[in-house]
Amino acid sequence: MASAAAQDAAEQLLHLKLAFLAGEPPTCVLALARKAGGGSVTPHVQSFLLESCIGTDVEGRQNCTYTTTILKRIISEVELSSDVVIDELYEEFAQRMLSKAKDSVLNRADHIYKEISFLSSTHDDISPRLVSVVARLSCSSNMLEGDTGCSLWPSSLFLSEFILSYPKVFAQKSCFELGSGVGLVGVCLNYVGASKVILTDGDASTLTNMKENMELNNLCIEREDSKPLKESTNKVECKYLSWEEVSESDLWGYQPDIVLGADIIYDPVCVPHLVRVLLMLLRRQHIREVETKEKTGDEFITEATVAYIATVVRNVDTFDCFAKAAADAKLSVVNITSSAAPSNFLPYMLSYDRSSVQLLKVTLLS
């Protein structure tokens, strides 16, 4: 009984740490701090925040404004409840208020460094859930100012969980993502052993940020001159791709097994171009030499090129526009959200509404 309580306490503290490193909203971090303290932010939890969260920033990547806001909210919470605020917390807050944050590429005022940690999908009563993969990302700190491509969206989290839940589907497969944004999906594809990962985006600044994120995660980037940045078994390509301008010949060198996209159905003006690109990529089916294997019964294993799109339906008319355009292009669009529900690898991300995301499987009609 005591060991179970200790394990639960350790897991709550782990969730608090991961939420802080993921740049979760201060309200969410505060809620987890409260939960870890059994209803209040105890001195023990305050010390943990200082030592295991804020104190881990040895490379100076944490956003100073974010960290200061967390400290302020924690101190206010404790003072309002008439509990004890440890001296070290006051001192850390005072130092951050008095000192000027040193700007760097990863600590710009408009960007925030995040570490998205995916926990293992299985655990028992003895061992706590362990972190299976960590994605290090530079993201926009304000998606309302038009920097949407550098923001982290629920659909990319959901698609990443899907990849980690069904690793055999993507292992040794050539994967091509549309609208890759910060590159989170690419990190997960590399982790499960995709043979090739092509990340694309139609915004130049987003593409630059994406390449920096791949380097942050020590992934091999193929540059325009085809010289790899670092030696790696899984190469990642980051390419500029405008849906409006791309032609069949531009995609001739790519023969993806799987096409992916997260939150790419957002604008009715872009829908026809998106469907056209999907059609071109799904047509890139090529003759593959398939070794005779025992059937696994996995419904996702297929030799035909398939697309998986995670999306939040914010506007029904836009989604209906996509469905109609896909049908006219002889594409099959099937909602597999229920049948292929991924495991919850991100239990500490309270801001992440998994229920809002739908997963679509898109194929060519035979």
Side-chain angles (χ1 to χ4, degrees):
M1 196 73 175
S3 61
Q7 179 185 322
D8 182 64
E11 186 170 80
Q12 297 304 329
L13 289 174
L14 174 62
H15 286 185
L16 172 59
K17 177 180 178 178
L18 298 185
F20 176 83
L21 295 178
E24 277 284 88
T27 302
C28 297
V29 175
L30 186 59
L32 289 171
R34 217 181 280 125
K35 187 175 182 181
S40 63
V41 187
T42 63
H44 174 65
V45 172
Q46 295 172 47
S47 295
F48 179 84
L49 272 167
L50 276 177
E51 297 168 9
S52 300
C53 299
I54 299 171
T56 60
D57 188 28
V58 293
E59 297 181 15
R61 288 174 172 167
Q62 288 176 7
N63 182 281
C64 186
T65 301
Y66 175 76
T67 303
T68 303
T69 301
I70 295 294
L71 287 168
K72 183 178 181 180
R73 293 291 296 274
I74 292 293
I75 291 172
S76 297
E77 167 84 5
V78 177
E79 288 180 339
L80 284 172
S81 60
S82 299
D83 288 329
V84 177
V85 178
I86 61 174
D87 292 339
E88 294 83 355
L89 203 67
Y90 278 129
E91 291 168 4
E92 181 69 26
F93 180 65
Q95 284 182 3
R96 289 183 175 270
M97 290 296 289
L98 292 173
S99 65
K100 293 182 179 179
K102 293 181 180 180
D103 287 338
S104 68
V105 174
L106 295 174
N107 198 22
R108 305 190 299 265
D110 59 340
H111 274 62
I112 181 171
Y113 173 76
K114 298 185 177 186
E115 290 187 3
I116 309 301
S117 303
F118 294 90
L119 296 175
S120 58
S121 58
T122 58
H123 70 296
D124 51 39
D125 294 333
I126 301 175
S127 304
R129 294 177 66 173
L130 302 175
V131 174
S132 58
V133 59
V134 179
R136 297 167 179 83
L137 307 169
S138 174
C139 304
S140 171
S141 58
N142 190 353
M143 67 177 67
L144 299 178
E145 293 185 356
D147 201 8
T148 55
C150 294
S151 299
L152 195 57
W153 298 92
S155 293
S156 63
L157 295 172
F158 193 91
L159 191 56
S160 297
E161 287 185 311
F162 174 65
I163 292 165
L164 296 175
S165 297
Y166 300 96
K168 292 182 180 179
V169 176
F170 303 93
Q172 300 306 311
K173 296 292 177 66
S174 175
C175 300
F176 191 110
E177 187 187 13
L178 297 170
S180 302
V182 296
L184 175 62
V185 168
V187 175
C188 293
L189 286 170
N190 183 79
Y191 177 79
V192 300
S195 59
K196 185 71 176 178
V197 179
I198 303 109
L199 305 180
T200 69
D201 208 280
D203 180 76
S205 61
T206 298
L207 189 65
T208 298
N209 186 69
M210 184 200 308
K211 289 179 179 179
E212 292 175 356
N213 284 340
M214 294 305 101
E215 293 180 21
L216 265 179
N217 289 276
N218 298 316
L219 298 187
C220 181
I221 308 296
E222 274 197 9
R223 296 183 176 182
E224 297 300 324
D225 57 5
S226 297
K227 293 180 180 178
L229 181 70
K230 296 178 181 177
E231 291 299 323
S232 175
T233 54
N234 292 315
K235 291 184 175 64
V236 176
E237 238 182 280
C238 298
K239 292 288 186 181
Y240 176 83
L241 181 69
S242 168
W243 300 348
E244 294 85 354
E245 300 170 1
V246 69
S247 64
E248 189 91 36
S249 60
D250 293 328
L251 299 174
W252 187 253
Y254 300 105
Q255 295 180 329
D257 299 297
I258 301 173
V259 180
L260 302 105
D263 257 327
I264 56 177
I265 307 171
Y266 58 86
D267 186 347
V269 175
C270 297
V271 164
H273 306 296
L274 168 61
V275 171
R276 186 178 68 89
V277 174
L278 281 172
L279 186 60
M280 287 192 290
L281 289 170
L282 293 175
R283 278 178 177 166
R284 302 302 306 147
Q285 296 178 22
H286 56 287
I287 299 174
R288 304 182 180 99
E289 293 181 3
V290 184
E291 297 179 0
T292 303
K293 300 178 182 178
E294 180 180 351
K295 290 186 178 180
T296 63
D298 194 325
E299 67 174 301
F300 299 109
I301 295 180
T302 174
E303 288 308 310
T305 304
V306 60
Y308 294 111
I309 298 176
T311 187
V312 174
V313 182
R314 298 180 178 84
N315 186 298
V316 176
D317 291 338
T318 300
F319 184 80
D320 289 344
C321 177
F322 169 77
K324 183 180 185 306
D328 291 343
K330 306 300 181 186
L331 293 179
S332 167
V333 180
V334 180
N335 190 325
I336 60 170
T337 312
S338 298
S339 61
S343 301
N344 184 2
F345 288 86
L346 303 165
Y348 62 89
M349 294 192 74
L350 304 186
S351 68
Y352 167 36
D353 182 10
R354 303 170 85 254
S355 65
S356 67
V357 185
Q358 295 185 25
L359 183 64
L360 309 175
K361 181 179 180 180
V362 183
T363 56
L364 282 171
L365 284 171
S366 55

